[in-house]
Amino acid sequence: MKQILFFMCCAVLITACKKDEEKKIPTNAQRTVMVYMSGDNSLSPVVSEDIQEMLQGASGIPLNCNLVVFIDRSISSEKPFIARITKESKLDTLYKYTNDFYASDPEKLSEVLKQITQLCPAKEYGLVLWGHASGWVVESDTIAQKRAYGIDNNKWMNITQMAKALKGLKDQNVLPKLSFIFADCCNMLCAENGYELRDVTDYLIGSPAEIPGYGAPYQLVVPHLFNSGSALYKGIIDTYYDYYADYSHLNYSEKSSWPYMEDGYSVPLAVIDTKYIGELAYRTHDMLERATGGYPQYPNSPDLTSIAFYWYGDVPMMYDMRAVMERLLSEADFKLWEETYQLAVPYYRMSMKWMTIWGSLARTFDTFDSNLKYGCISMFIPQQNSYYSYGNMAYNKTSINFGWNQVMDWKRFGWE
């Protein structure tokens, strides 16, 4: 009887120790990766699937690191919460909010990230932005100010406000400069966003185009979130790109919604090294002055025909910056400009077709000139078009809020 009790006690202790081990948070973690899942929108059903993928990839989390997710989805009985994905593939809830709120509110973004730093402190941090986005495009919003990331009940977060919130945390010594921001959302890799976020992250990784609704294959990506330098961004980009390029990996829904995947196309992906994005901005400013034949004056725009663009919401825009500059400059000037570009955008993988909800864009893919040099970063070019000049969006006016376009100084070419 004593032997039985002894073994029973041992079993209880072992089980308890195992549970404690799963919940134990490193006190001197090297890196905490924060996944901000803004899913109180049409992406809500995908949240659980991506969490499961992260759990599958959890064995790749280093012992002295943390993977923490903030989850907000469209479940009326569920309030937003913060959870840690353990190396043992468990979802350990760390903090529950008592009230629902807009995840697209920059103040709430700041509050959530601050909470995560208190729960899982580390020497360095990475941030994954999960949700909807539209690059520099300022989305219409009938409730509050115009915003362009993480829609939550029709409210968006402007990238300029996101940058301000992150800088506030940095200035308060709550967060150091982020090791990276991986934007697993549409259209985020544009020169405007890279310049706006230059003070708050070392790298901005993502796509200039639409991404599949299923997003990154986290079961494969998770280990790369804890790499550094080129191993970090090459690991994320190559894993993401190769997954979608390999048609055999995909489920029926992915295959049927993206017919050209069978031909080996994937998701255009790139990284911006923010150390050099300022230098690229001023080099681009100067080179526009040296456009062959002179940069066109208002109301004219440069010839953009056959150059790949990444957005067709209302009108073609978000043209590939590298291809635009190749079109505008002499061979010698383009070579000079590209030296800076390669510093600011050290790695990219281009696909001439990708998943899109815009049939008009899909029908345009075959018109893109494959002989041009593409770099997977888009850039705003002012144009004389009703969507650019009038209405709620008025791209020529709203885009000027971004620091990149202030450096470009489009007024010198007659654009107000």
Side-chain angles (χ1 to χ4, degrees), residues 306 308 352 365-374:
S306 76
M352 296 301 288
F365 285 153
D366 290 330
T367 69
F368 292 160
D369 185 352
S370 59
N371 294 314
L372 291 171
K373 295 182 174 68
Y374 295 105

